Amino acid sequence: MINNNNNNQWNSRIAFLLSMIGAAVGIGNIWRYSYVVYSNGGGTFFIPYLVAILIMGIPFLILEYGIGFRHKDSFSNILKSINPKLEYISWALVLTIYFALIYYLVIVSWDLVYLGSSLNFNWGSNSTLYFLENVGGSSNLSNMTNFIIPTLISTVIVWIMTWYISHKDLNEGIGKASKILIPLLFGIMLIIIVFALTLPGANIGINTLLKPDWQMLLNVNIWLAAFSQIIFSLSMGESISLTYASYLPEGSKLTSNVLIVVFANCAFEVCTAFGIFSILGYMSYTSGTPMTKLVSEGTGLVFIVFPMIFNKMGIIGHILAPLLFISILFAGITSAIAVFEPMINSTIHKLNWSRKKTVTILSIVGCIISLIFTTGISSYLIGIVDTFIIDFCILLLIAIQCIIFGWIYDIEGVIPVLNENDKVKVGKTWMFILKYILPVFLFIMWGNGVYNLLLNANNFELLVYIIITVAILILSYIFINIKDKSNES
């Protein structure tokens, strides 16, 4: 059943595309992708990466666009219309994504702290100590009752920023913010990349990044890494694309839009990797430090290694540092407002609240819970929760979606919707991938993730896993048992 009660609608194709690109291009594109390439066969990684784009990224995003556009309803209502029992699955996913937003914005707040520090290099000569004491804390559980004040204040600020953009009408909020922030993000990163490529020693970094290891193609882990990168780089299966596509006006092109978003996202992360490794190559060249000691993943790269490099770059570092942290902030905020949207949309449809009321209440609740992640174990706790959310919750829920949409839902009915206004057509091959290939890959990835999760977890981590699982299950039960008020009055 199709619901046309959604009054929100994109006022232009560019607003939708930039918002979707903003949803895809996040912090992980800047600090994670280059490490994934480096640690998974270098140039060899691009083969499974391309395969993952073709048989997972593009097909699933086309599915999400088609379903969202066809129904123009919230994710929870769409699953409920397929089978009322499936509403539980929808709320479990929406709440999981909302919970991811809660700790994701704390990571964005770390960047805000560094943005302020980059003006006069407050991190000093010991960037590791600065991060432990002033930003991310440590794994010492005795510190969990102490708040890290800079992180706490910055977390409140980024929540206010997210609320300010999200509480406005679609085009005045998300649309306008994306039109401003995404071009700025791409422009700033272009400046950083071009400049980085001219640094002495840049070729050392690029050669290290791209050095192929062809034997890795026979290693299942490189393929799992490629598929995992595509899933989370494109925000697959998180109902973000489905929600944004539900706001498209009639006559919109769908498949072509998917290709544009995928190309923009992949081009951004590949080009950024060249810039990141060019700067690492410069550091290796000027200091004599081996590349293997400089390459780090995620927070270690951005918040520890790069401040160390900027310290040695003189005036150049004082220019590049603010640019890098501004670009991370823009990437973080545009992704955050996208991650927020499924929960906003589902709550509006369920409770019939105004957008402003919904966003305000969800922001206050989310901000309060976020404060748990601003204590002296901030980075340790976020690492635990992030691993569990990704390796267990989201992968499982995406795999279940593949089964639902491939085998229970009328997937053939989406094909005419996708092909009606688009020159790029889909058909039986697309359906075959969704029904047979994707579920197998996703369940293998989920099984591998759960195995590693349980194998390496200590008692504290297991307790956190149980708390999150119970919270999501209880809240999902509460939401599905709330009387649907969207059809009242």
Side-chain angles (χ1 to χ4, degrees):
M1 186 172 69
I2 299 175
N3 188 325
N4 293 312
N5 292 329
N6 190 352
N7 294 320
N8 273 326
Q9 191 172 94
W10 300 109
N11 59 11
S12 67
R13 186 185 186 191
I14 192 67
F16 168 73
L17 285 173
L18 289 177
S19 297
M20 278 305 314
I21 292 170
V25 174
I27 293 176
N29 298 71
I30 297 174
W31 75 20
R32 182 177 186 270
Y33 178 75
S34 57
Y35 180 83
V36 172
V37 175
Y38 165 78
S39 59
N40 286 279
T44 311
F45 177 78
F46 290 107
I47 295 175
Y49 178 68
L50 180 60
V51 172
I53 291 171
L54 294 176
I55 71 170
M56 178 174 282
I58 291 175
F60 200 90
L61 282 186
I62 290 173
L63 173 68
E64 290 193 279
Y65 278 36
I67 293 174
F69 182 76
R70 184 189 190 193
H71 289 265
K72 300 193 183 303
D73 206 342
S74 68
F75 181 66
S76 56
N77 280 350
I78 291 173
L79 285 198
K80 186 179 179 180
S81 69
I82 299 172
N83 187 318
K85 294 180 180 179
L86 296 178
E87 187 182 7
Y88 202 106
I89 300 295
S90 68
W91 280 108
L93 176 66
V94 169
L95 286 163
T96 298
I97 302 305
Y98 175 58
F99 197 72
L101 171 72
I102 288 171
Y103 69 80
Y104 182 79
L105 282 179
V106 178
I107 300 175
V108 178
S109 79
W110 296 346
D111 175 74
L112 189 59
V113 174
Y114 273 85
L115 176 57
S117 298
S118 69
L119 301 179
N120 54 11
F121 286 15
N122 284 342
W123 50 70
S125 59
N126 192 333
S127 56
T128 301
L129 184 63
Y130 179 82
F131 179 78
L132 292 176
E133 292 184 350
N134 298 281
V135 185
S138 67
S139 59
N140 187 345
L141 296 181
S142 64
N143 294 326
M144 66 188 301
T145 57
N146 303 320
F147 286 101
I148 302 175
I149 301 304
T151 298
L152 187 150
I153 294 172
S154 296
T155 297
V156 174
I157 292 173
V158 295
W159 263 109
I160 291 172
M161 294 167 65
T162 304
W163 166 84
Y164 180 76
I165 295 171
S166 298
H167 90 285
K168 294 186 175 184
D169 290 338
L170 184 68
N171 293 291
E172 285 299 307
I174 297 172
K176 184 174 288 186
S178 298
K179 287 180 180 179
I180 296 171
L181 296 180
I182 295 304
L184 281 174
L185 169 61
F186 276 67
I188 291 170
M189 284 308 302
L190 180 62
I191 293 171
I192 293 174
I193 292 165
V194 171
F195 184 80
L197 290 171
T198 66
L199 291 171
N203 62 306
I204 297 174
I206 293 174
N207 290 337
T208 301
L209 174 68
L210 297 181
K211 183 181 178 181
D213 182 358
W214 299 111
Q215 290 184 343
M216 285 287 288
L217 287 177
L218 301 177
N219 187 334
V220 67
N221 289 323
I222 187 178
W223 292 89
L224 292 176
F227 279 81
S228 177
Q229 176 64 27
I230 289 302
I231 286 175
F232 299 108
S233 177
L234 294 173
S235 300
M236 274 178 53
E238 298 176 17
S239 82
I240 295 170
S241 300
L242 185 149
T243 302
Y244 273 10
S246 73
Y247 302 147
L248 282 168
E250 296 300 325
S252 296
K253 295 180 179 180
L254 301 177
T255 305
S256 295
N257 286 342
V258 168
L259 298 179
I260 292 171
V261 171
V262 171
F263 175 80
N265 173 77
C266 296
F268 180 89
E269 61 185 9
V270 170
C271 292
T272 299
F274 278 79
I276 295 293
F277 266 73
S278 293
I279 296 174
L280 293 175
Y282 165 83
M283 181 64 175
S284 178
Y285 175 79
T286 56
S287 68
T289 305
M291 283 290 295
T292 53
K293 292 187 177 181
L294 291 174
V295 179
S296 177
E297 183 179 10
T299 56
L301 173 65
V302 173
F303 298 137
I304 295 175
V305 175
F306 270 109
M308 180 176 66
I309 295 174
F310 293 141
N311 283 343
K312 299 181 181 296
M313 295 181 77
I315 187 64
I316 296 172
H318 284 272
I319 296 172
L320 283 183
L323 288 177
L324 175 66
F325 292 120
I326 287 173
S327 65
I328 293 173
L329 179 64
F330 289 171
I333 291 297
T334 54
S335 291
I337 58 178
V339 172
F340 202 2
E341 193 62 23
M343 186 68 188
I344 294 170
N345 192 28
S346 291
T347 305
I348 288 174
H349 279 81
K350 185 71 176 182
L351 301 178
N352 202 26
W353 287 352
S354 68
R355 183 176 183 88
K356 185 174 182 179
K357 178 180 178 180
T358 302
V359 173
T360 301
I361 292 175
L362 291 176
S363 295
I364 292 172
V365 172
C367 185
I368 292 172
I369 300 174
S370 287
L371 299 184
I372 297 172
F373 296 92
T374 65
T375 67
I377 60 167
S378 177
S379 59
Y380 176 57
L381 184 58
I382 287 176
I384 295 171
V385 175
D386 183 59
T387 301
F388 180 71
I389 291 291
I390 290 174
D391 290 349
F392 182 83
C393 301
I394 293 181
L395 272 177
L396 175 61
L397 290 167
I398 295 174
I400 291 173
Q401 282 183 71
C402 260
I403 301 298
I404 292 171
F405 291 128
W407 293 93
I408 302 174
Y409 178 76
D410 175 27
I411 192 173
E412 288 190 41
V414 179
I415 294 177
V417 175
L418 291 166
N419 292 341
E420 182 180 3
N421 303 302
D422 212 309
K423 292 181 180 179
V424 182
K425 308 296 184 182
V426 299
K428 292 184 177 180
T429 302
W430 172 71
M431 285 180 55
F432 180 84
I433 292 172
L434 291 171
K435 294 180 72 171
Y436 298 100
I437 297 179
L438 282 193
V440 173
F441 271 100
L442 288 166
F443 277 112
I444 290 174
M445 291 173 63
W446 179 73
N448 183 69
V450 172
Y451 174 76
N452 291 325
L453 202 69
L454 298 177
L455 185 67
N456 301 312
N458 58 38
N459 290 337
F460 177 74
E461 291 167 356
L462 288 172
L463 176 62
V464 173
Y465 300 160
I466 293 170
I467 291 172
I468 294 171
T469 303
V470 171
I472 290 174
L473 292 176
I474 291 175
L475 288 171
S476 299
Y477 180 80
I478 291 172
F479 269 99
I480 65 172
N481 284 283
I482 294 175
K483 185 178 180 182
D484 192 338
K485 298 179 180 180
S486 61
N487 296 320
E488 295 181 2
S489 70

